[in-house]
Amino acid sequence: MGLSSLMIDEVTGLFKALSEPGRLTIIYKLYDAELSVTELAEQLGIEQSAVSHQLKILKNARVVTFRKEGKRRLYSLADDHIYILIEQVMSHAREKRE
């Protein structure tokens, strides 16, 4: 199975987006519930601007999406693929430690 350079770029871009611990934490929070920037900032104990920055990266990587509810934007995972991928990587890491 050959990979095009475009596909390689997309895959490496996705892994780059997932490689920051704060973004992984955001993904786990969004797996449980749809949340606003304010709610994520409160749960993570960080500034809203930092959360917004991380969400922008995740949105550009098509990991998260949002919908508007009044003036709020509620973020959620774009689909379950990312969570499944992360679970697979964590399972691999656990196996390597044992």
Side-chain angles (χ1 to χ4, degrees), residues 7-35:
M7 182 58 70
I8 290 170
D9 289 345
E10 287 187 31
V11 171
T12 56
L14 177 59
F15 277 109
K16 284 179 186 177
L18 299 175
S19 68
E20 202 279 323
R23 290 193 285 268
L24 285 177
T25 304
I26 288 171
I27 289 167
Y28 268 89
K29 295 287 184 184
L30 294 177
Y31 185 75
D32 292 333
E34 193 175 46
L35 297 168

PDB file of all heavy atoms in Angstrom, residues 7-35:
ATOM      1  N   MET A   7      -1.108  12.492   1.689  1.00  0.00           N
ATOM      2  CA  MET A   7      -1.584  11.696   2.818  1.00  0.00           C
ATOM      3  C   MET A   7      -0.544  11.693   3.937  1.00  0.00           C
ATOM      4  O   MET A   7      -0.897  11.814   5.119  1.00  0.00           O
ATOM      5  CB  MET A   7      -1.895  10.261   2.387  1.00  0.00           C
ATOM      6  CG  MET A   7      -2.448   9.402   3.506  1.00  0.00           C
ATOM      7  SD  MET A   7      -3.957  10.028   4.272  1.00  0.00           S
ATOM      8  CE  MET A   7      -5.126   9.786   2.963  1.00  0.00           C
ATOM      9  N   ILE A   8       0.709  11.600   3.585  1.00  0.00           N
ATOM     10  CA  ILE A   8       1.770  11.637   4.595  1.00  0.00           C
ATOM     11  C   ILE A   8       1.741  12.970   5.329  1.00  0.00           C
ATOM     12  O   ILE A   8       1.831  13.018   6.559  1.00  0.00           O
ATOM     13  CB  ILE A   8       3.154  11.368   3.958  1.00  0.00           C
ATOM     14  CG1 ILE A   8       3.243   9.906   3.523  1.00  0.00           C
ATOM     15  CG2 ILE A   8       4.284  11.718   4.924  1.00  0.00           C
ATOM     16  CD1 ILE A   8       4.453   9.576   2.679  1.00  0.00           C
ATOM     17  N   ASP A   9       1.569  14.056   4.594  1.00  0.00           N
ATOM     18  CA  ASP A   9       1.482  15.378   5.221  1.00  0.00           C
ATOM     19  C   ASP A   9       0.285  15.476   6.157  1.00  0.00           C
ATOM     20  O   ASP A   9       0.387  16.029   7.250  1.00  0.00           O
ATOM     21  CB  ASP A   9       1.391  16.477   4.162  1.00  0.00           C
ATOM     22  CG  ASP A   9       2.697  16.690   3.417  1.00  0.00           C
ATOM     23  OD1 ASP A   9       3.743  16.198   3.883  1.00  0.00           O
ATOM     24  OD2 ASP A   9       2.648  17.352   2.355  1.00  0.00           O
ATOM     25  N   GLU A  10      -0.856  14.940   5.742  1.00  0.00           N
ATOM     26  CA  GLU A  10      -2.047  14.981   6.589  1.00  0.00           C
ATOM     27  C   GLU A  10      -1.867  14.163   7.858  1.00  0.00           C
ATOM     28  O   GLU A  10      -2.232  14.595   8.951  1.00  0.00           O
ATOM     29  CB  GLU A  10      -3.271  14.503   5.810  1.00  0.00           C
ATOM     30  CG  GLU A  10      -3.753  15.501   4.786  1.00  0.00           C
ATOM     31  CD  GLU A  10      -5.058  15.101   4.135  1.00  0.00           C
ATOM     32  OE1 GLU A  10      -5.880  14.428   4.797  1.00  0.00           O
ATOM     33  OE2 GLU A  10      -5.256  15.469   2.974  1.00  0.00           O
ATOM     34  N   VAL A  11      -1.289  12.989   7.725  1.00  0.00           N
ATOM     35  CA  VAL A  11      -1.090  12.120   8.886  1.00  0.00           C
ATOM     36  C   VAL A  11      -0.076  12.731   9.854  1.00  0.00           C
ATOM     37  O   VAL A  11      -0.314  12.767  11.065  1.00  0.00           O
ATOM     38  CB  VAL A  11      -0.660  10.699   8.451  1.00  0.00           C
ATOM     39  CG1 VAL A  11      -0.237   9.862   9.643  1.00  0.00           C
ATOM     40  CG2 VAL A  11      -1.800  10.013   7.700  1.00  0.00           C
ATOM     41  N   THR A  12       1.025  13.245   9.332  1.00  0.00           N
ATOM     42  CA  THR A  12       2.008  13.851  10.235  1.00  0.00           C
ATOM     43  C   THR A  12       1.445  15.112  10.881  1.00  0.00           C
ATOM     44  O   THR A  12       1.728  15.382  12.047  1.00  0.00           O
ATOM     45  CB  THR A  12       3.340  14.161   9.521  1.00  0.00           C
ATOM     46  OG1 THR A  12       3.089  14.999   8.389  1.00  0.00           O
ATOM     47  CG2 THR A  12       4.040  12.892   9.075  1.00  0.00           C
ATOM     48  N   GLY A  13       0.631  15.860  10.162  1.00  0.00           N
ATOM     49  CA  GLY A  13      -0.026  17.035  10.747  1.00  0.00           C
ATOM     50  C   GLY A  13      -0.948  16.652  11.883  1.00  0.00           C
ATOM     51  O   GLY A  13      -0.997  17.326  12.923  1.00  0.00           O
ATOM     52  N   LEU A  14      -1.668  15.551  11.706  1.00  0.00           N
ATOM     53  CA  LEU A  14      -2.555  15.066  12.757  1.00  0.00           C
ATOM     54  C   LEU A  14      -1.758  14.641  13.987  1.00  0.00           C
ATOM     55  O   LEU A  14      -2.096  15.019  15.113  1.00  0.00           O
ATOM     56  CB  LEU A  14      -3.404  13.901  12.241  1.00  0.00           C
ATOM     57  CG  LEU A  14      -4.324  13.244  13.250  1.00  0.00           C
ATOM     58  CD1 LEU A  14      -5.315  14.246  13.830  1.00  0.00           C
ATOM     59  CD2 LEU A  14      -5.051  12.082  12.596  1.00  0.00           C
ATOM     60  N   PHE A  15      -0.682  13.901  13.771  1.00  0.00           N
ATOM     61  CA  PHE A  15       0.139  13.487  14.915  1.00  0.00           C
ATOM     62  C   PHE A  15       0.772  14.687  15.617  1.00  0.00           C
ATOM     63  O   PHE A  15       0.898  14.691  16.834  1.00  0.00           O
ATOM     64  CB  PHE A  15       1.194  12.461  14.508  1.00  0.00           C
ATOM     65  CG  PHE A  15       0.660  11.053  14.460  1.00  0.00           C
ATOM     66  CD1 PHE A  15       0.481  10.404  13.255  1.00  0.00           C
ATOM     67  CD2 PHE A  15       0.323  10.389  15.626  1.00  0.00           C
ATOM     68  CE1 PHE A  15      -0.022   9.115  13.205  1.00  0.00           C
ATOM     69  CE2 PHE A  15      -0.187   9.095  15.593  1.00  0.00           C
ATOM     70  CZ  PHE A  15      -0.358   8.459  14.376  1.00  0.00           C
ATOM     71  N   LYS A  16       1.149  15.707  14.867  1.00  0.00           N
ATOM     72  CA  LYS A  16       1.679  16.927  15.492  1.00  0.00           C
ATOM     73  C   LYS A  16       0.614  17.581  16.361  1.00  0.00           C
ATOM     74  O   LYS A  16       0.902  18.038  17.469  1.00  0.00           O
ATOM     75  CB  LYS A  16       2.165  17.906  14.428  1.00  0.00           C
ATOM     76  CG  LYS A  16       3.484  17.533  13.814  1.00  0.00           C
ATOM     77  CD  LYS A  16       3.887  18.535  12.739  1.00  0.00           C
ATOM     78  CE  LYS A  16       5.131  18.079  12.021  1.00  0.00           C
ATOM     79  NZ  LYS A  16       5.497  18.994  10.922  1.00  0.00           N
ATOM     80  N   ALA A  17      -0.615  17.634  15.852  1.00  0.00           N
ATOM     81  CA  ALA A  17      -1.708  18.241  16.624  1.00  0.00           C
ATOM     82  C   ALA A  17      -1.983  17.461  17.900  1.00  0.00           C
ATOM     83  O   ALA A  17      -2.356  18.035  18.922  1.00  0.00           O
ATOM     84  CB  ALA A  17      -2.973  18.324  15.774  1.00  0.00           C
ATOM     85  N   LEU A  18      -1.781  16.159  17.870  1.00  0.00           N
ATOM     86  CA  LEU A  18      -2.045  15.308  19.026  1.00  0.00           C
ATOM     87  C   LEU A  18      -0.862  15.203  19.979  1.00  0.00           C
ATOM     88  O   LEU A  18      -0.992  14.628  21.055  1.00  0.00           O
ATOM     89  CB  LEU A  18      -2.436  13.898  18.557  1.00  0.00           C
ATOM     90  CG  LEU A  18      -3.682  13.803  17.703  1.00  0.00           C
ATOM     91  CD1 LEU A  18      -3.872  12.370  17.220  1.00  0.00           C
ATOM     92  CD2 LEU A  18      -4.904  14.296  18.443  1.00  0.00           C
ATOM     93  N   SER A  19       0.279  15.778  19.605  1.00  0.00           N
ATOM     94  CA  SER A  19       1.502  15.543  20.376  1.00  0.00           C
ATOM     95  C   SER A  19       1.674  16.444  21.596  1.00  0.00           C
ATOM     96  O   SER A  19       2.641  16.297  22.322  1.00  0.00           O
ATOM     97  CB  SER A  19       2.721  15.702  19.458  1.00  0.00           C
ATOM     98  OG  SER A  19       2.860  17.051  19.051  1.00  0.00           O
ATOM     99  N   GLU A  20       0.748  17.325  21.851  1.00  0.00           N
ATOM    100  CA  GLU A  20       0.868  18.248  22.986  1.00  0.00           C
ATOM    101  C   GLU A  20      -0.030  17.747  24.118  1.00  0.00           C
ATOM    102  O   GLU A  20      -1.207  17.464  23.894  1.00  0.00           O
ATOM    103  CB  GLU A  20       0.467  19.654  22.526  1.00  0.00           C
ATOM    104  CG  GLU A  20       1.005  20.773  23.376  1.00  0.00           C
ATOM    105  CD  GLU A  20       0.170  20.987  24.624  1.00  0.00           C
ATOM    106  OE1 GLU A  20      -1.063  20.853  24.556  1.00  0.00           O
ATOM    107  OE2 GLU A  20       0.760  21.275  25.682  1.00  0.00           O
ATOM    108  N   PRO A  21       0.492  17.596  25.338  1.00  0.00           N
ATOM    109  CA  PRO A  21      -0.300  17.042  26.440  1.00  0.00           C
ATOM    110  C   PRO A  21      -1.610  17.786  26.718  1.00  0.00           C
ATOM    111  O   PRO A  21      -2.634  17.153  26.988  1.00  0.00           O
ATOM    112  CB  PRO A  21       0.644  17.131  27.641  1.00  0.00           C
ATOM    113  CG  PRO A  21       2.006  17.122  27.051  1.00  0.00           C
ATOM    114  CD  PRO A  21       1.889  17.842  25.736  1.00  0.00           C
ATOM    115  N   GLY A  22      -1.588  19.090  26.621  1.00  0.00           N
ATOM    116  CA  GLY A  22      -2.819  19.852  26.871  1.00  0.00           C
ATOM    117  C   GLY A  22      -3.907  19.544  25.865  1.00  0.00           C
ATOM    118  O   GLY A  22      -5.095  19.459  26.213  1.00  0.00           O
ATOM    119  N   ARG A  23      -3.510  19.340  24.620  1.00  0.00           N
ATOM    120  CA  ARG A  23      -4.503  19.001  23.591  1.00  0.00           C
ATOM    121  C   ARG A  23      -5.080  17.611  23.829  1.00  0.00           C
ATOM    122  O   ARG A  23      -6.273  17.384  23.616  1.00  0.00           O
ATOM    123  CB  ARG A  23      -3.888  19.140  22.204  1.00  0.00           C
ATOM    124  CG  ARG A  23      -3.621  20.593  21.839  1.00  0.00           C
ATOM    125  CD  ARG A  23      -3.312  20.789  20.387  1.00  0.00           C
ATOM    126  NE  ARG A  23      -1.990  20.363  19.989  1.00  0.00           N
ATOM    127  CZ  ARG A  23      -0.912  21.137  19.959  1.00  0.00           C
ATOM    128  NH1 ARG A  23      -0.987  22.399  20.337  1.00  0.00           N
ATOM    129  NH2 ARG A  23       0.235  20.672  19.563  1.00  0.00           N
ATOM    130  N   LEU A  24      -4.259  16.677  24.274  1.00  0.00           N
ATOM    131  CA  LEU A  24      -4.775  15.338  24.602  1.00  0.00           C
ATOM    132  C   LEU A  24      -5.787  15.421  25.750  1.00  0.00           C
ATOM    133  O   LEU A  24      -6.819  14.745  25.729  1.00  0.00           O
ATOM    134  CB  LEU A  24      -3.644  14.384  24.973  1.00  0.00           C
ATOM    135  CG  LEU A  24      -2.799  13.877  23.817  1.00  0.00           C
ATOM    136  CD1 LEU A  24      -1.670  13.011  24.339  1.00  0.00           C
ATOM    137  CD2 LEU A  24      -3.633  13.112  22.824  1.00  0.00           C
ATOM    138  N   THR A  25      -5.496  16.254  26.719  1.00  0.00           N
ATOM    139  CA  THR A  25      -6.419  16.438  27.837  1.00  0.00           C
ATOM    140  C   THR A  25      -7.735  17.034  27.357  1.00  0.00           C
ATOM    141  O   THR A  25      -8.814  16.593  27.770  1.00  0.00           O
ATOM    142  CB  THR A  25      -5.783  17.334  28.917  1.00  0.00           C
ATOM    143  OG1 THR A  25      -4.533  16.752  29.309  1.00  0.00           O
ATOM    144  CG2 THR A  25      -6.678  17.454  30.129  1.00  0.00           C
ATOM    145  N   ILE A  26      -7.663  17.997  26.469  1.00  0.00           N
ATOM    146  CA  ILE A  26      -8.876  18.591  25.897  1.00  0.00           C
ATOM    147  C   ILE A  26      -9.686  17.525  25.166  1.00  0.00           C
ATOM    148  O   ILE A  26     -10.916  17.450  25.309  1.00  0.00           O
ATOM    149  CB  ILE A  26      -8.527  19.765  24.961  1.00  0.00           C
ATOM    150  CG1 ILE A  26      -8.046  20.956  25.785  1.00  0.00           C
ATOM    151  CG2 ILE A  26      -9.715  20.153  24.085  1.00  0.00           C
ATOM    152  CD1 ILE A  26      -7.463  22.100  24.969  1.00  0.00           C
ATOM    153  N   ILE A  27      -9.017  16.692  24.404  1.00  0.00           N
ATOM    154  CA  ILE A  27      -9.717  15.625  23.676  1.00  0.00           C
ATOM    155  C   ILE A  27     -10.464  14.715  24.647  1.00  0.00           C
ATOM    156  O   ILE A  27     -11.620  14.366  24.422  1.00  0.00           O
ATOM    157  CB  ILE A  27      -8.729  14.819  22.803  1.00  0.00           C
ATOM    158  CG1 ILE A  27      -8.267  15.689  21.628  1.00  0.00           C
ATOM    159  CG2 ILE A  27      -9.354  13.515  22.316  1.00  0.00           C
ATOM    160  CD1 ILE A  27      -7.084  15.133  20.873  1.00  0.00           C
ATOM    161  N   TYR A  28      -9.813  14.339  25.738  1.00  0.00           N
ATOM    162  CA  TYR A  28     -10.484  13.482  26.726  1.00  0.00           C
ATOM    163  C   TYR A  28     -11.669  14.182  27.364  1.00  0.00           C
ATOM    164  O   TYR A  28     -12.707  13.574  27.597  1.00  0.00           O
ATOM    165  CB  TYR A  28      -9.496  12.982  27.780  1.00  0.00           C
ATOM    166  CG  TYR A  28      -8.923  11.655  27.379  1.00  0.00           C
ATOM    167  CD1 TYR A  28      -7.778  11.586  26.609  1.00  0.00           C
ATOM    168  CD2 TYR A  28      -9.555  10.480  27.739  1.00  0.00           C
ATOM    169  CE1 TYR A  28      -7.271  10.368  26.198  1.00  0.00           C
ATOM    170  CE2 TYR A  28      -9.051   9.257  27.341  1.00  0.00           C
ATOM    171  CZ  TYR A  28      -7.911   9.206  26.570  1.00  0.00           C
ATOM    172  OH  TYR A  28      -7.426   7.998  26.165  1.00  0.00           O
ATOM    173  N   LYS A  29     -11.534  15.465  27.649  1.00  0.00           N
ATOM    174  CA  LYS A  29     -12.661  16.222  28.216  1.00  0.00           C
ATOM    175  C   LYS A  29     -13.826  16.254  27.229  1.00  0.00           C
ATOM    176  O   LYS A  29     -14.990  16.113  27.616  1.00  0.00           O
ATOM    177  CB  LYS A  29     -12.243  17.647  28.574  1.00  0.00           C
ATOM    178  CG  LYS A  29     -11.226  17.748  29.674  1.00  0.00           C
ATOM    179  CD  LYS A  29     -11.842  17.429  31.001  1.00  0.00           C
ATOM    180  CE  LYS A  29     -10.835  17.617  32.123  1.00  0.00           C
ATOM    181  NZ  LYS A  29     -11.366  17.218  33.409  1.00  0.00           N
ATOM    182  N   LEU A  30     -13.524  16.436  25.953  1.00  0.00           N
ATOM    183  CA  LEU A  30     -14.577  16.525  24.946  1.00  0.00           C
ATOM    184  C   LEU A  30     -15.180  15.168  24.616  1.00  0.00           C
ATOM    185  O   LEU A  30     -16.275  15.100  24.075  1.00  0.00           O
ATOM    186  CB  LEU A  30     -14.047  17.203  23.677  1.00  0.00           C
ATOM    187  CG  LEU A  30     -13.657  18.670  23.855  1.00  0.00           C
ATOM    188  CD1 LEU A  30     -13.079  19.214  22.545  1.00  0.00           C
ATOM    189  CD2 LEU A  30     -14.846  19.499  24.310  1.00  0.00           C
ATOM    190  N   TYR A  31     -14.473  14.113  24.928  1.00  0.00           N
ATOM    191  CA  TYR A  31     -15.050  12.782  24.724  1.00  0.00           C
ATOM    192  C   TYR A  31     -16.221  12.571  25.681  1.00  0.00           C
ATOM    193  O   TYR A  31     -17.213  11.957  25.340  1.00  0.00           O
ATOM    194  CB  TYR A  31     -13.997  11.696  24.924  1.00  0.00           C
ATOM    195  CG  TYR A  31     -14.534  10.324  24.604  1.00  0.00           C
ATOM    196  CD1 TYR A  31     -14.715   9.934  23.281  1.00  0.00           C
ATOM    197  CD2 TYR A  31     -14.878   9.429  25.613  1.00  0.00           C
ATOM    198  CE1 TYR A  31     -15.222   8.686  22.973  1.00  0.00           C
ATOM    199  CE2 TYR A  31     -15.385   8.176  25.311  1.00  0.00           C
ATOM    200  CZ  TYR A  31     -15.564   7.805  23.987  1.00  0.00           C
ATOM    201  OH  TYR A  31     -16.076   6.570  23.694  1.00  0.00           O
ATOM    202  N   ASP A  32     -16.103  13.150  26.864  1.00  0.00           N
ATOM    203  CA  ASP A  32     -17.145  12.992  27.878  1.00  0.00           C
ATOM    204  C   ASP A  32     -18.323  13.926  27.671  1.00  0.00           C
ATOM    205  O   ASP A  32     -19.445  13.597  28.041  1.00  0.00           O
ATOM    206  CB  ASP A  32     -16.569  13.242  29.282  1.00  0.00           C
ATOM    207  CG  ASP A  32     -15.584  12.154  29.693  1.00  0.00           C
ATOM    208  OD1 ASP A  32     -15.712  11.014  29.199  1.00  0.00           O
ATOM    209  OD2 ASP A  32     -14.683  12.455  30.489  1.00  0.00           O
ATOM    210  N   ALA A  33     -18.077  15.124  27.116  1.00  0.00           N
ATOM    211  CA  ALA A  33     -19.152  16.113  27.012  1.00  0.00           C
ATOM    212  C   ALA A  33     -18.780  17.205  26.020  1.00  0.00           C
ATOM    213  O   ALA A  33     -17.609  17.462  25.768  1.00  0.00           O
ATOM    214  CB  ALA A  33     -19.406  16.742  28.380  1.00  0.00           C
ATOM    215  N   GLU A  34     -19.798  17.846  25.524  1.00  0.00           N
ATOM    216  CA  GLU A  34     -19.642  19.031  24.699  1.00  0.00           C
ATOM    217  C   GLU A  34     -19.390  20.200  25.654  1.00  0.00           C
ATOM    218  O   GLU A  34     -20.137  20.381  26.608  1.00  0.00           O
ATOM    219  CB  GLU A  34     -20.956  19.226  23.937  1.00  0.00           C
ATOM    220  CG  GLU A  34     -20.943  20.182  22.824  1.00  0.00           C
ATOM    221  CD  GLU A  34     -22.279  20.184  22.098  1.00  0.00           C
ATOM    222  OE1 GLU A  34     -23.343  20.216  22.755  1.00  0.00           O
ATOM    223  OE2 GLU A  34     -22.245  20.162  20.872  1.00  0.00           O
ATOM    224  N   LEU A  35     -18.310  20.964  25.416  1.00  0.00           N
ATOM    225  CA  LEU A  35     -17.924  22.005  26.367  1.00  0.00           C
ATOM    226  C   LEU A  35     -17.563  23.303  25.655  1.00  0.00           C
ATOM    227  O   LEU A  35     -17.074  23.288  24.525  1.00  0.00           O
ATOM    228  CB  LEU A  35     -16.720  21.555  27.195  1.00  0.00           C
ATOM    229  CG  LEU A  35     -16.921  20.324  28.084  1.00  0.00           C
ATOM    230  CD1 LEU A  35     -15.588  19.829  28.603  1.00  0.00           C
ATOM    231  CD2 LEU A  35     -17.866  20.644  29.221  1.00  0.00           C
TER     232      LEU A  35
END
